[in-house]
Amino acid sequence: MSPVVAHDVREPGDAPQLAKRILIGEPLTTEQVNDQLLPKRMALPIFASDALSSVAYGPQEMLMIMLIGGTALMTLSPLVAAAVVLLLIVVVLSYRQIIKAYPSGGGDFEVTQKNLGEVPSVIVAAALLVDYILTVSVSIASGVDNIISAVPVLNNWRVEMAVGFVALIVIVNLRGVREASAVFAIPTYVFIGSVGVMIVTALVRTVLGDAPVAASAAYTMHAESLSQAAIVLLILRAFSSGCSALTGVEAVSNGVPAFRVPKIRNAKTTLAMMGSIAALLFAGLTAVALISGVKYAEDPCQLVGYTCGTPQQSLMAQVASATFGAGSIAFFIIQAATACVLLLAANTAFNGFPLLGSVLAREGYAPKALNTRGDRLVFSNGMIVLGLAAVVVLVVFQANLTNLIQLYIIGVFVSFSLGQIGMVRHWKRVLHETHARPLSEVADERRGAVTGLVINMMGAIMTVTVLVIVTITKFTHGAWMVFFAIPVLAVLMLGVKRYYRDVEHEISIDDTTHFGSSGDVAIVLVSRLQKPVIKALDYAIAAQHDKTIALHIALTPEDGKELQRQWQQHNIPVPLVIVDSPYRTFAQPVEHFIRQYREKHGPSVITVYLPQYIVGHWWESMLHNRRSRRIAAQLMMVHGVTITLVPWLLDSSELIYGRRSRPLPGQQRSGRPVVLYGTPPSGRRAQRPAGPPDQG
């Protein structure tokens, strides 16, 4: 038998990889991680877009709740808005202290873990993860809402648009932090500038005696007769809805590692800029909405004069229309910028969620895959998990902003409250540790600790109070689902931590650990005498085991005899062992043979070689390798046995690898030749190549 010679050729043509490169970009090396760090001007749109964009729906939700009590109750709106702005300022100052004390990126999780213990820290982590998912959902739903306000005909495609925007943002974020910041920077700054111009224009017109008037100003609402207690509860509910403007503040403290050096100073500056802009826009937009008489109702059909069945314009759209005129260029700029920044506000979560997930994975509370950086040096697994979770929420709630907003801010205020309490304990510990040292050495440190203690104590009192208010006012409106999800997620994370701890204990080495195996045996499983089997034999011989055995499981005596005849005919230089299988099983006879061999020859290390086809079509996987997969799965349960899969590339594999497993007629392949065993014309047995072949 003449030797069969094959040549290997490699052609580019991996279509899935090409598509991945087009969508995500070329992979980055680990050394390039510092190039991905952000300056302040780019960090602001990345980490602050959520807090900045929330001014588009925070005032809207606050005024919507106040309107339930009638137009007379709207006069209290400025006081409620002032309380929200005051809380925002306190929270921003509090998180500047967290950035200073814990700049590693753990944020509230790290604060509570080091100061309050494991269970509170896991609750904080679960609350933040839930809040990040809802941030994406609410931001996308609000963005779609503003698009529909400008183009009402798109109302029937609300859910589809929301899901599409989530997919788009995931892809952009997978391309890396710097590319995402470049994409998101322009819409964020356009939003800040355009809304700022709108507020100033409206206020100037008011001062000049030409106050803008919203189209809904003429609507009235029949207020129900409310008791004093009901009015107080309504005001508290409006305040809790307005507090949605605080979401995203914690993202900067979680993203400190992404800033350029000096990281702490840049992060604190970015947080201060974000808080100042958000407070001014929230207060200004609320003032202009009240001046122009905007009416935005939970059920617009309750508005007297409103045409039921038509989409209700968002507060932002009504203010823009009143200030610049409906259909004006400025109106569409405002709507486009608002829609963009609301959609891109989800990007804050796509930075916070993966970073927090990586911290949790390092601590053992989440799967290790969340701590793996992708091709573009981002935690891509966390981004994909967040995107899928947000899509589920949007589909379940039909991208309805009013329903989603009821679930919002619960998680963030849980983390706010526990984080601030943890910081109070942190500063008390610092003061205690510096008490015994000379005052001249620790004067600055004690002064900073006292300042931090005062700020964080105020933050703790206010955020706990708001958490109680939010819980009371939103619980029956859907927030109970968040209170259910947070403990369930916390229990799961504790279970993952316990599992990793048990596995680590199980596999850790100690002085009693020893391995007494002797000998090195290779077993090549042979079904029929074919090229994939010859390739597996060649690999086994090239590995230079102490002993190499070809093992055939014969379902019938005739099968074994025929294989034995072919084996002798082709002079295969490996002993063939045939084991009968009267019950037509494969894995059990192999396992039984291995046990018998060890009983006779000692505890040898056994390497089992299994030929396996590599295919290009998904449906081919159902037609091949099923037996080898079952055998491998069972043999891996046998101590001292390793499995080596020897690939044989079928022609269809070129769809994946851009090459063929063997030459086409009339073609030759370059590369190292592969010689199958046989009897050459001279009568001498052909020698195997010096090393294992690249290709069968």
Side-chain angles (χ1 to χ4, degrees):
M1 177 180 177
S2 300
V4 179
V5 181
H7 303 278
D8 184 51
V9 62
R10 299 174 185 267
E11 297 288 346
D14 189 344
Q17 285 296 321
L18 179 61
K20 181 180 178 182
R21 295 283 75 83
I22 293 174
L23 289 176
I24 299 176
E26 293 298 325
L28 301 174
T29 64
T30 305
E31 289 74 14
Q32 293 176 281
V33 67
N34 289 332
D35 297 335
Q36 300 298 302
L37 299 180
L38 299 172
K40 294 187 292 294
R41 68 180 185 280
M42 290 298 187
L44 183 65
I46 282 288
F47 292 108
S49 56
D50 179 24
L52 295 177
S53 67
S54 61
V55 302
Y57 53 80
Q60 173 178 294
E61 296 302 313
M62 180 187 68
L63 295 180
M64 179 187 73
I65 301 301
M66 295 295 288
L67 188 61
I68 295 176
T71 54
L73 197 60
M74 295 285 286
T75 56
L76 298 177
S77 298
L79 296 177
V80 177
V84 173
V85 171
L86 176 63
L87 178 62
L88 174 60
I89 293 171
V90 172
V91 169
V92 168
L93 292 174
S94 300
Y95 271 90
R96 281 171 59 87
Q97 301 302 313
I98 292 180
I99 292 172
K100 174 183 174 182
Y102 297 96
S104 63
D108 288 319
F109 171 75
E110 185 178 2
V111 171
T112 52
Q113 184 185 46
K114 293 185 176 180
N115 296 285
L116 300 180
E118 181 182 43
V119 173
S121 68
V122 172
I123 292 174
V124 164
L128 282 173
L129 293 178
V130 170
D131 183 70
Y132 282 135
I133 294 170
L134 291 173
T135 293
V136 176
S137 305
V138 170
S139 299
I140 295 294
S142 184
V144 170
D145 218 27
N146 275 271
I147 292 175
I148 292 173
S149 294
V151 189
V153 72
L154 297 176
N155 187 47
N156 293 332
W157 299 91
R158 179 184 298 270
V159 177
E160 292 81 358
M161 289 169 61
V163 172
F165 283 126
V166 172
L168 178 62
I169 294 173
V170 170
I171 292 172
V172 172
N173 276 278
L174 288 176
R175 294 188 65 88
V177 176
R178 284 190 62 84
E179 291 203 30
S181 65
V183 172
F184 299 149
I186 294 176
T188 302
Y189 286 120
V190 169
F191 171 77
I192 295 172
S194 60
V195 174
V197 169
M198 179 180 70
I199 292 172
V200 171
T201 302
L203 293 177
V204 169
R205 285 182 57 184
T206 302
V207 171
L208 296 177
D210 182 26
V213 179
S216 61
Y219 300 157
T220 58
M221 187 168 182
H222 295 299
E224 299 179 6
S225 178
L226 299 175
S227 64
Q228 187 174 359
I231 291 175
V232 172
L233 190 63
L234 198 64
I235 294 173
L236 292 178
R237 186 182 168 195
F239 171 72
S240 65
S241 294
C243 286
S244 60
L246 276 72
T247 56
V249 172
E250 79 291 342
V252 178
S253 66
N254 291 334
V256 176
F259 283 83
R260 285 183 180 173
V261 292
K263 294 178 181 291
I264 295 176
R265 189 177 71 185
N266 287 339
K268 291 174 68 175
T269 302
T270 300
L271 182 59
M273 292 168 57
M274 179 201 72
S276 302
I277 296 171
L280 290 173
L281 293 184
F282 183 91
L285 192 58
T286 303
V288 174
L290 291 172
I291 291 171
S292 59
V294 170
K295 304 293 191 306
Y296 189 89
E298 190 170 15
D299 181 7
C301 290
Q302 292 181 351
L303 292 173
V304 178
Y306 177 81
T307 304
C308 287
T310 59
Q312 185 178 200
Q313 275 197 327
S314 65
L315 180 143
M316 185 70 75
Q318 293 189 49
V319 171
S321 179
T323 304
F324 298 116
S328 64
I329 296 177
F331 168 80
F332 284 107
I333 290 176
I334 292 286
Q335 285 305 102
T338 302
C340 284
V341 82
L342 283 168
L343 294 172
L344 300 181
N347 185 67
T348 298
F350 276 100
N351 282 272
F353 186 100
L355 287 171
L356 178 59
S358 70
V359 173
L360 293 172
R362 286 198 302 270
E363 296 289 334
Y365 292 104
K368 300 296 184 184
L370 293 181
N371 194 33
T372 302
R373 291 185 183 270
D375 288 351
R376 302 291 293 181
L377 298 175
V378 294
F379 298 108
S380 51
N381 291 329
M383 292 179 178
I384 293 171
V385 170
L386 175 59
L388 293 175
V391 165
V392 171
V393 172
L394 285 167
V395 171
V396 169
F397 288 90
Q398 292 295 288
N400 187 299
L401 178 62
T402 302
N403 292 337
L404 286 170
I405 206 75
Q406 305 303 326
L407 313 181
Y408 206 25
I409 79 170
I410 298 291
V412 76
F413 271 96
V414 169
S415 64
F416 280 174
S417 301
L418 291 175
Q420 297 308 306
I421 294 171
M423 285 301 296
V424 170
R425 295 195 64 176
H426 167 80
W427 293 124
K428 286 184 175 180
R429 186 175 66 253
V430 171
L431 289 173
H432 177 74
E433 291 172 352
T434 58
H435 183 72
R437 295 161 57 188
L439 183 61
S440 59
E441 296 180 4
V442 297
D444 292 339
E445 188 175 352
R446 286 183 62 83
R447 191 179 303 111
V450 170
T451 302
L453 179 62
V454 172
I455 292 174
N456 288 124
M457 189 171 290
M458 288 180 57
I461 293 171
M462 296 183 71
T463 53
V464 169
T465 302
V466 173
L467 178 60
V468 173
I469 294 172
V470 170
T471 301
I472 294 173
T473 58
K474 287 180 176 284
F475 190 85
T476 57
H477 295 271
W480 63 267
M481 288 184 280
V482 177
F483 281 102
F484 174 77
I486 290 174
V488 169
L489 187 55
V491 170
L492 288 176
M493 287 193 289
L494 289 171
V496 171
K497 175 72 172 181
R498 188 175 299 109
Y499 171 79
Y500 276 134
R501 185 181 61 225
D502 293 343
V503 170
E504 186 65 26
H505 176 73
E506 181 180 345
I507 64 176
S508 61
I509 193 168
D510 52 51
D511 295 335
T512 62
T513 302
H514 66 280
F515 300 96
S517 299
S518 60
D520 178 19
V521 179
I523 296 177
V524 182
L525 296 187
V526 179
S527 175
R528 291 183 294 168
L529 193 55
Q530 297 172 315
K531 292 177 182 178
V533 171
I534 297 300
K535 179 182 178 183
L537 287 168
D538 194 52
Y539 268 71
I541 293 172
Q544 298 182 348
H545 297 276
D546 294 343
K547 188 173 184 179
T548 301
I549 301 171
L551 181 63
H552 172 69
I553 306 302
L555 301 185
T556 65
E558 290 76 14
D559 290 343
K561 291 178 181 179
E562 176 60 22
L563 181 63
Q564 184 71 50
R565 184 189 65 79
Q566 295 179 2
W567 206 262
Q568 294 173 353
Q569 176 185 350
H570 294 288
N571 296 323
I572 308 298
V574 176
L576 175 65
V577 176
I578 298 176
V579 175
D580 292 328
S581 178
Y583 294 101
R584 299 163 304 284
T585 59
F586 290 91
Q588 290 85 350
V590 175
E591 182 180 348
H592 182 67
F593 174 81
I594 292 172
R595 296 187 189 281
Q596 283 188 326
Y597 185 91
R598 283 178 171 161
E599 290 175 1
K600 183 177 180 180
H601 299 283
S604 302
V605 175
I606 306 293
T607 303
V608 178
Y609 287 81
L610 280 169
Q612 183 161 317
Y613 293 117
I614 305 299
V615 298
H617 300 100
W618 64 268
W619 51 265
E620 289 180 280
S621 61
M622 297 187 294
L623 305 178
H624 299 292
N625 302 322
R626 297 176 64 85
R627 182 186 300 170
S628 64
R629 284 195 293 265
R630 289 197 301 269
I631 294 174
Q634 188 159 341
L635 292 182
M636 281 191 290
M637 302 296 294
V638 181
H639 290 292
V641 173
T642 60
I643 309 297
T644 298
L645 299 178
V646 183
W648 179 268
L649 276 66
L650 296 179
D651 284 345
S652 63
S653 65
E654 68 175 346
L655 298 174
I656 301 176
Y657 298 102
R659 57 181 178 176
R660 292 187 176 273
S661 60
R662 56 182 180 272
L664 294 175
Q667 289 184 337
Q668 289 188 342
R669 305 174 68 182
S670 60
R672 185 171 56 206
V674 177
V675 182
L676 302 183
Y677 298 109
T679 304
S682 62
R684 293 183 293 107
R685 180 172 54 85
Q687 300 295 314
R688 66 173 177 84
D694 288 330
Q695 187 61 38

